[in-house]
């Protein structure tokens, strides 16, 4: 296992986090534990523009990942 950075997006309008909806789209959740992390800061920043109308923040955290 190793630790990798992950990036969560939160809207500053309604404070919801972005998550994958399971159909290839994006949904919103009030709980960070249900949010889907992005693997790069660029992708998270793009999501703020695309899904939050530029009104959002990106949080970096570190998560354990299995080595393949």
């Amino acid at each position: 296992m190793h630790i990798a950075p992950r990036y969560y997006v939160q809207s500053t309008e309604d404070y919801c986090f972005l998550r994958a909806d399971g159909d290839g789209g994006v949904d919103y959740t009030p709980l960070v534990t249900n949010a889907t992390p992005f693997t790069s800061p660029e992708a998270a920043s793009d999501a703020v523009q695309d899904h939050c109308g530029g009104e959002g923040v990106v949080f970096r955290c570190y998560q354990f990942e299995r080595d393949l």
Side-chain angles (χ1 to χ4, degrees), residues 7-55:
Y7 304 88
Y8 289 91
V9 173
Q10 184 180 26
S11 168
T12 54
E13 184 177 329
D14 61 6
Y15 305 108
C16 286
F17 294 89
L18 296 183
R19 69 173 174 185
D21 68 2
D23 294 325
V26 174
D27 195 351
Y28 301 89
T29 180
L31 303 174
V32 69
T33 56
N34 293 334
T36 304
F38 291 85
T39 57
S40 73
E42 295 83 8
S45 179
D46 290 345
V48 169
Q49 295 302 317
D50 295 342
H51 302 289
C52 299
E55 301 294 325

